[in-house]
Amino acid sequence: PSGSEPATKIVINLERLQQLPADKVGPLARYAAAIQSQRGDYNGKVLSIRAEDLRSLAIIYDKTPGELTDQLIDWGVLPPEARPHRVD
Ligand code: C2E
Ligand code: C2E
Ligand code: C2E
């Protein structure tokens, strides 16, 4: 839905991400792997990423950051609490 707002605190569930088919989550999985590599952060069950990264990923998925937030919650990659309170 176009009225959705982007997540403000983005903590990706890496275990859930691994369970999803690559044709859906491939770009996100590669992005997360690149961040883990840059940080040397390989041991986590979750990965905190920048709000800026959500904007980049939204372009890759051809969605608004709010739409991508909803998609990630639907996939179980973000917890439902990641959706900010709606003002409508
Ligand atoms: P939190 O932000 O609620 O994170 C809870 C736990 O999730 C962290 O426990 C860690 O086990 C995991 N986690 C979250 N993001 C990542 C990530 O990007 N990579 C990995 N490997 N694990 C992640 P931890 O490390 O014991 O931290 C406890 C709390 O300490 C955090 O709660 C946060 O409040 C604070 N903290 C830790 N590191 C940072 C940081 O770099 N910046 C800030 N502002 N707070 C931090
Ligand atoms: P950088 O952007 O020059 O950041 C250098 C260091 O500053 C980081 O080393 C980290 O210790 C700290 N830092 C910068 N921004 C933040 C922040 O928002 N929160 C926290 N807790 N620390 C921050 P680190 O972690 O070894 O990362 C090395 C490089 O890897 C970064 O250099 C950046 O180029 C890239 N990188 C790491 N994580 C991310 C990410 O989540 N998104 C993006 N786009 N790049 C990342
Ligand atoms: P955090 O460490 O709790 O940082 C929260 C917010 O404070 C960041 O949101 C950013 O707006 C600001 N901030 C913190 N450190 C820096 C810094 O060194 N430089 C600048 N310009 N701003 C900073 P943001 O960017 O949405 O990041 C969200 C979370 O993603 C961070 O929470 C941290 O857990 C993780 N993260 C982001 N970038 C890095 C990084 O380069 N390395 C590591 N290890 N974690 C990062």
Side-chain angles (χ1 to χ4, degrees):
S2 56
S4 300
E5 294 175 54
T8 48
K9 192 182 177 198
I10 306 139
V11 185
I12 291 174
N13 182 333
L14 294 173
E15 290 181 335
R16 179 68 187 147
L17 188 60
Q18 284 183 341
Q19 295 165 357
L20 294 164
D23 65 331
K24 281 187 179 172
V25 299
L28 172 62
R30 285 193 295 276
Y31 203 103
I35 288 174
Q36 286 185 285
S37 165
Q38 284 176 304
R39 291 183 188 166
D41 181 5
Y42 296 108
N43 296 321
K45 292 183 176 177
V46 297
L47 183 72
S48 300
I49 66 165
R50 297 180 187 176
E52 186 76 14
D53 293 324
L54 186 71
R55 300 175 59 84
S56 301
L57 283 164
I59 292 168
I60 292 168
Y61 278 93
D62 196 21
K63 293 176 185 293
T64 68
E67 288 167 349
L68 181 61
T69 297
D70 283 346
Q71 177 71 88
L72 296 180
I73 292 168
D74 283 351
W75 284 341
V77 168
L78 288 180
E81 312 89 78
R83 187 184 283 116
H85 181 65
R86 275 198 212 177
V87 215
D88 59 11

